[in-house]
Amino acid sequence: MLLLEVISGERLPKPERGKMRVHKINNVNKALDFIGNKGVKLVSIGAEEIVDGNVKMTLGMIWTIILRFAIQDISVEETSAKEGLLLWCQRKTAPYKNVNVQNFHISWKDGLAFNALIHRHRPELIDYDKLRKDDPVTNLNNAFEVAEKYLDIPKMLDAEDIVGTLRPDEKAIMTYVSCFYHAFSGAQKAETAANRICKVLAVNQENEHLMEDYEKLASDLLEWIRRTIPWLENRAPEKTMAEMQQKLEDFRDYRRVHKPPKVQEKCQLEINFNTLQTKLRLSNRPAFMPSEGRMVSDINGAWHKLEGAEKGYEEWLLNEIRRLERLDHLAEKFRQKAAIHESWTDGKEAMLTQKDYETASLSEVKALLRKHEAFESDLAAHQDRVEQIAAIAQELNELDYYDSPSVNARCQKICDQWDILGSLTQSRRESLERTEKQLESIDELYLEFAKRAAPFNNWMEGAMEDLQDMFIVHNIEEIQGLITAHEQFKSTLPEANKEREAIQAIQAEVQKIAQYNGIKLAGNNPYTSITPQSIDSKWEKVQKLVPQRDQALQEELTRQQSNDHLRRQFANQANIIGPWIQNKMEEIGRISIEMNGTLEDQLTHLRQYEQSIIEYKPNIEKLEGDHQLIQEALIFDNKYTPYTMEHLRVGWEQLLTTIARTINEIENQILTRDAKGISQEQLHEYRTSFNHFDKKRTGMMDTDDFRALLISTGNSLGDAEFTRIMGIVDPNNSGAVTFQAFIDFMSRETTDTDTADQVIASFKILAGDKNYITAEELRRELPPDQAEYCIARMAPYAGPDAIPGALDYMSFSTALYGESDL
């Protein structure tokens, strides 16, 4: 009782002072009751044994007291008592070499563990590096003496006993080690507090790291958006189509290469933000508030602005490309018309400024005046071309053509020259009219030639320009439109030729009059620079260009007709094959449902049907060839048929699959009939019943229709029985029952089947009532192929009556029915 008061720090009931045995027993019981009240369960320890001096019982009770009051209260990381004390020792000695605490006996024999515990908490008391593992007695005595002198831990153990014992007493060492735990408990609390602080700081540091990562990632992403948006908002147009195409390619690289990683970064940023907020909430920390401008909403806003700029940039790029295409076309048209006009104006200014009329005769002056009038007519005829050139230049300016300065300069030059020509023309006319008063003779024929030749010459120039114009068509209608327009032009050629002949007749009349009157002509027609030779030359050129245009139009017509022929050729076949495949599919469906004749008749009919389908394959192959021709001709539409080659391929493959599957079903029905002994009448009855309840005529019944079919055949079905039957006919839980599954079920329910026992009995008869059979007996009784099949698969017989070459027909028979592991 005194020991318990000292070790527990509590007062026990007053002991009885008598010397009698009963007094001693009562005192010991008081001590045992105190121990029991502390939650300690005493097993086989009674007061009588203690009073009688039972050493084993007394030591057991003392160990129980030590375990309860010195060890049981030890707690380390949710472990207590022995496990907690062991974990504490392992943690404290982990950094020390040659120390590996795994238990409370042999792990302490070399004394290093005791010294490590002391050095861990009081390093100034022990020079651990001088200790040697091969000197355990010195190590143990050093630890015991230091513990007793400086830590007030009595020397409970003897070094020689520990070293000399194969397995030191576990309880004694545990008791002694617990004194170290209690002695260092204050340090333990400090360590626990430090661990808690470290844990809190670690959480805080991790959160701060996540915040820094978020801030950096947000800053980088916003900076990238900030740099990218100006690029996307840049609408500086390029001068050429190639440069704009490069911009479009750069934009596609941005979409394919540069943007996807940023999309991932944005997603990761939102994930990191949500993870950080969750960790802060779970660790009871205030929510994270990013710095100004770096909120998720800010990033989403910037991203939205980026995508808006991206969309606008893409639309601008496409519009710019279309604009440049239009500009290239207009620029080429401008250059062509300007070149024609410049060619016409070449030398006109010099012609208008010459003073030839000053020394000319009256007739020559009159001729000069008529020539000038013809020129004015020609000048007026060219007014439309000048206006067209100016209009094209104006449109190029409005569309912001990159070479507008050059175009404007050339247009301005043409317009300035045109104004000069107008001014010079007016000036020359005034001069000629002043001179005309003195001149009377005028050559009307020259004048008439000039007036008629000028528009005719312009007409020929326009005709040559039109005949050389390029064209692009996509179908017969478009090329036929061009051919019609060309035919209309050709219809005007006879009238034009009459005009040419009339013009040439004027020149002939001039020659005739000159010869008749002996007039010496001064050279070319004074009223025009157009000569009969130039008219004939241009007319010949027109005549040559007409058949060339005819040939080009006819070649294009031939190509379009060829394309149309390919379309019709494919369509004619496709419009036959498509319905044919559909009809065959429907016929196969009807054949699979109807029962006409025996199964063998049906199988023969289906195989003949299959052969007829296979014989149709050349039509498919021919259609494939037609389709290849269409592809090679780059034809992508066909208004003559709704069928495509891909659609027909799928239909053909489905047709072959369906007929093969239907034949397989009939073959399986024959196997079932032969194996189960089902008559043709029964099979017909099964098919009739199945077809009656197969309301959709698909060859498969749903669960409700199948249940109705079973009830109609006289089956009384409960839910459990129906579930069992469905497990047989629909093992995959597809919700549908095929006719084959229905036949298998009905044959299983209505016919007898062979069993392993029946086969064993049959083999026993062949073996002459022996428990084994020989290869010679099998070859004698069975067909050769079946005998060899059995010999190859039968295991050697291992019974007590076995002979060389004996075969085990019993295990073979059971294996046939899946009743063994053979």
Side-chain angles (χ1 to χ4, degrees):
M1 291 174 71
L2 181 60
L3 173 63
L4 288 173
E5 286 183 348
V6 172
I7 199 170
S8 69
E10 299 180 18
R11 296 290 296 176
L12 271 69
K14 186 176 180 180
E16 298 180 10
R17 297 298 182 181
K19 300 296 184 179
M20 299 178 62
R21 176 181 174 84
V22 66
H23 295 144
K24 297 177 181 179
I25 290 174
N26 289 337
N27 288 336
V28 173
N29 278 328
K30 289 179 181 180
L32 296 178
D33 291 340
F34 179 80
I35 295 171
N37 291 334
K38 294 298 181 180
V40 178
K41 186 176 181 181
L42 298 173
V43 181
S44 302
I45 298 178
E48 291 81 1
E49 286 82 358
I50 302 299
V51 172
D52 291 340
N54 187 321
V55 176
K56 182 177 181 180
M57 291 296 181
T58 303
L59 290 175
M61 183 185 68
I62 293 174
W63 168 246
T64 301
I65 293 171
I66 294 171
L67 186 62
R68 167 60 183 83
F69 293 100
I71 299 175
Q72 186 170 324
D73 292 338
I74 296 174
S75 177
V76 178
E77 294 188 6
E78 300 181 359
T79 62
S80 60
K82 179 181 177 181
E83 292 78 9
L85 184 60
L86 182 61
L87 180 59
W88 178 79
C89 293
Q90 290 172 338
R91 293 284 176 83
K92 296 300 181 180
T93 62
Y96 293 89
K97 63 181 180 179
N98 297 326
V99 178
N100 183 18
V101 178
Q102 297 297 325
N103 49 56
F104 285 109
H105 39 82
I106 61 175
S107 295
W108 303 83
K109 285 187 67 174
D110 57 9
L112 292 177
F114 290 111
N115 284 278
L117 282 178
I118 298 171
H119 185 269
R120 179 65 182 270
H121 296 89
R122 297 286 299 277
E124 75 279 3
L125 299 180
I126 291 178
D127 188 355
Y128 185 82
D129 293 334
K130 291 185 177 181
L131 300 177
R132 303 200 319 273
K133 186 174 179 66
D134 58 356
D135 191 3
V137 174
T138 301
N139 296 341
L140 288 167
N141 285 327
N142 181 63
F144 296 160
E145 290 169 0
V146 170
E148 185 175 26
K149 182 177 181 181
Y150 295 102
L151 304 177
D152 292 330
I153 298 174
K155 186 176 181 182
M156 303 179 186
L157 305 173
D158 184 76
E160 286 74 12
D161 289 344
I162 293 175
V163 175
T165 305
L166 184 61
R167 178 187 172 99
D169 183 68
E170 182 178 45
K171 295 177 181 178
I173 291 179
M174 192 186 308
T175 302
Y176 186 60
V177 171
S178 68
C179 294
F180 283 92
Y181 175 82
H182 290 295
F184 296 135
S185 60
Q188 176 68 24
K189 292 179 181 177
E191 183 178 351
T192 302
N195 288 338
R196 175 172 294 176
I197 292 171
C198 290
K199 184 176 181 181
V200 171
L201 292 178
V203 171
N204 205 59
Q205 288 172 332
E206 182 183 2
N207 291 339
E208 288 180 355
H209 179 67
L210 289 175
M211 293 176 189
E212 293 172 359
D213 286 348
Y214 174 86
E215 291 284 345
K216 183 179 185 307
L217 193 57
S219 298
D220 292 346
L221 184 58
L222 288 170
E223 175 61 20
W224 177 81
I225 294 174
R226 185 190 65 77
R227 293 196 313 269
T228 304
I229 287 178
W231 175 67
L232 293 173
E233 291 177 343
N234 180 17
R235 297 295 187 270
E238 298 296 341
K239 296 180 179 180
T240 65
M241 178 68 73
E243 291 172 329
M244 285 306 298
Q245 289 285 3
Q246 183 58 47
K247 273 198 171 186
L248 181 60
E249 187 61 30
D250 293 342
F251 179 70
R252 287 171 178 162
D253 284 344
Y254 157 78
R255 277 269 184 86
R256 293 190 301 261
V257 179
H258 302 293
K259 186 181 178 184
K262 298 303 177 182
V263 173
Q264 183 63 31
E265 286 182 16
K266 178 176 177 291
C267 177
Q268 188 61 45
L269 189 69
E270 294 175 356
I271 292 172
N272 290 353
F273 181 80
N274 293 333
T275 302
L276 174 59
Q277 298 292 37
T278 301
K279 288 187 175 182
L280 289 172
R281 185 173 63 254
L282 293 177
S283 60
N284 200 24
R285 302 294 199 284
F288 169 56
M289 182 62 66
S291 57
E292 184 177 357
R294 293 188 177 93
M295 294 289 291
V296 173
S297 59
D298 297 328
I299 293 170
N300 287 335
W303 191 265
H304 180 71
K305 184 178 179 182
L306 173 74
E307 291 185 334
E310 181 181 313
K311 181 180 178 183
Y313 187 65
E314 183 177 23
E315 291 175 353
W316 175 78
L317 280 176
L318 296 177
N319 289 334
E320 276 297 297
I321 289 174
R322 285 192 288 269
R323 183 181 70 84
L324 287 176
E325 286 178 338
R326 171 68 176 161
L327 284 174
D328 288 347
H329 173 73
L330 287 174
E332 181 59 30
K333 189 173 183 180
F334 173 83
R335 286 189 289 270
Q336 184 180 13
K337 289 186 176 295
I340 293 173
H341 177 78
E342 288 166 348
S343 176
W344 178 83
T345 59
D346 185 32
K348 295 296 189 292
E349 188 173 343
M351 180 195 74
L352 292 172
T353 56
Q354 63 184 346
K355 305 294 183 180
D356 53 344
Y357 56 84
E358 293 180 351
T359 59
S361 63
L362 180 62
S363 60
E364 291 173 342
V365 171
K366 288 185 177 291
L368 289 174
L369 184 59
R370 296 298 180 266
K371 181 179 179 181
H372 188 72
E373 290 175 354
F375 172 77
E376 288 179 331
S377 177
D378 198 10
L379 188 69
H382 278 78
Q383 179 68 34
D384 287 344
R385 179 172 286 129
V386 174
E387 292 175 354
Q388 290 175 7
I389 292 171
I392 293 172
Q394 178 63 27
E395 188 171 358
L396 287 172
N397 279 280
E398 292 174 355
L399 293 177
D400 196 20
Y401 181 52
Y402 77 95
D403 200 18
S404 291
S406 171
V407 170
N408 292 337
R410 191 172 185 181
C411 180
Q412 187 62 45
K413 181 179 179 182
I414 290 173
C415 291
D416 292 344
Q417 187 183 35
W418 185 256
D419 293 338
I420 293 172
L421 287 177
S423 176
L424 291 175
T425 300
Q426 182 64 25
S427 176
R428 184 172 177 80
R429 165 171 277 279
E430 292 173 354
S431 298
L432 288 173
E433 286 177 349
R434 285 193 302 269
T435 309
E436 185 182 15
K437 295 177 182 180
Q438 302 171 5
L439 300 176
E440 298 176 351
S441 181
I442 192 168
D443 191 346
E444 292 292 340
L445 290 174
Y446 271 153
L447 181 59
E448 184 180 359
F449 177 90
K451 287 183 177 181
R452 295 181 69 172
F456 185 71
N457 184 67
N458 283 335
W459 176 84
M460 286 192 296
E461 288 179 351
M464 287 188 293
E465 185 177 346
D466 292 339
L467 289 171
Q468 296 177 83
D469 190 23
M470 296 177 63
F471 59 85
I472 299 176
V473 296
H474 301 92
N475 52 53
I476 288 182
E477 289 76 11
E478 292 179 1
I479 188 61
Q480 286 177 340
L482 291 177
I483 292 174
T484 300
H486 184 62
E487 291 299 325
Q488 291 174 352
F489 167 76
K490 287 166 61 177
S491 67
T492 65
L493 291 178
E495 287 297 326
N497 190 43
K498 289 180 181 179
E499 177 66 12
R500 182 188 68 82
E501 291 174 349
I503 292 172
Q504 298 292 47
I506 293 172
Q507 181 65 24
E509 184 67 18
V510 169
Q511 297 293 338
K512 181 179 178 182
I513 293 173
Q515 290 177 1
Y516 180 77
N517 295 291
I519 299 173
K520 186 177 180 181
L521 298 176
N524 295 330
N525 191 324
Y527 303 109
T528 180
S529 60
I530 301 173
T531 65
Q533 293 78 14
S534 67
I535 290 176
D536 287 341
S537 175
K538 290 180 180 179
W539 178 257
E540 289 175 3
K541 189 172 182 180
V542 170
Q543 292 296 98
K544 290 179 181 179
L545 289 174
V546 167
Q548 291 177 5
R549 185 73 166 184
D550 282 333
Q551 181 180 357
L553 291 173
Q554 287 301 321
E555 288 175 355
E556 182 61 27
L557 177 62
T558 301
R559 191 176 75 85
Q560 292 298 332
Q561 288 174 340
S562 175
N563 289 351
D564 203 58
H565 173 72
L566 291 176
R567 291 188 183 98
R568 291 177 183 274
Q569 180 175 300
F570 177 85
N572 291 338
Q573 284 293 102
N575 291 336
I576 294 172
I577 292 175
W580 183 86
I581 291 176
Q582 183 63 31
N583 291 337
K584 293 301 179 182
M585 290 290 291
E586 294 174 357
E587 289 177 12
I588 293 172
R590 288 195 299 272
I591 292 172
S592 65
I593 294 175
E594 298 171 356
M595 288 187 63
N596 295 324
T598 65
L599 291 177
E600 285 77 4
D601 294 340
Q602 294 177 41
L603 183 61
T604 301
H605 179 58
L606 281 172
R607 284 175 174 162
Q608 292 172 349
Y609 203 77
E610 180 184 36
Q611 184 59 35
S612 69
I613 291 173
I614 293 173
E615 290 173 355
Y616 196 77
K617 186 177 182 181
N619 296 305
I620 303 295
E621 293 173 346
K622 182 180 183 302
L623 191 63
E624 286 281 7
D626 294 342
H627 180 252
Q628 182 177 351
L629 294 176
I630 283 180
Q631 288 183 322
E632 291 173 353
L634 301 178
I635 300 172
F636 303 105
D637 61 324
N638 195 336
K639 63 182 180 181
Y640 302 113
T641 180
Y643 297 101
T644 65
M645 194 65 235
E646 182 63 25
H647 176 261
L648 294 175
R649 284 194 200 102
V650 172
W652 174 254
E653 293 167 358
Q654 188 176 5
L655 177 63
L656 294 177
T657 302
T658 302
I659 187 64
R661 185 172 59 247
T662 304
I663 289 173
N664 180 254
E665 289 176 356
I666 297 299
E667 291 173 341
N668 288 339
Q669 291 175 25
I670 292 173
L671 291 175
T672 303
R673 181 199 66 189
D674 295 344
K676 305 298 183 179
I678 302 174
S679 66
Q680 184 66 31
E681 291 74 14
Q682 286 178 304
L683 201 59
H684 187 272
E685 181 181 349
Y686 291 159
R687 170 54 82 178
T688 302
S689 299
F690 187 87
N691 289 346
H692 176 72
F693 286 93
D694 181 15
K695 298 175 182 178
K696 297 180 181 178
R697 294 295 183 267
T698 61
M700 302 179 73
M701 281 190 293
D702 59 27
T703 305
D704 293 337
D705 291 341
F706 181 63
R707 187 167 195 151
L709 172 58
L710 292 177
I711 293 173
S712 71
T713 59
N715 289 285
S716 177
L717 296 176
D719 290 341
E721 177 62 15
F722 183 69
T723 300
R724 181 190 71 81
I725 294 174
M726 285 303 297
I728 296 172
V729 299
D730 184 19
N732 296 323
N733 294 321
S734 64
V737 180
T738 63
F739 179 62
Q740 184 61 43
F742 173 63
I743 293 177
D744 292 341
F745 168 73
M746 294 300 294
S747 61
R748 183 184 292 111
E749 296 293 320
T750 58
T751 61
D752 294 332
T753 57
D754 293 328
T755 65
D757 291 340
Q758 292 173 337
V759 176
I760 290 172
S762 299
F763 270 118
K764 195 164 189 176
I765 293 172
L766 297 183
D769 208 31
K770 299 190 298 294
N771 292 328
Y772 59 86
I773 193 168
T774 64
E776 291 74 11
E777 290 171 332
L778 287 171
R779 292 190 178 100
R780 182 178 67 246
E781 300 294 343
L782 296 179
D785 57 338
Q786 294 182 348
E788 297 303 324
Y789 177 85
C790 294
I791 293 169
R793 285 163 176 77
M794 283 186 182
Y797 178 69
D801 53 343
I803 64 172
L807 300 174
D808 187 355
Y809 62 79
M810 292 184 182
S811 61
F812 173 76
S813 300
T814 55
L816 291 177
Y817 291 87
E819 299 177 9
S820 77
D821 296 329
L822 185 61

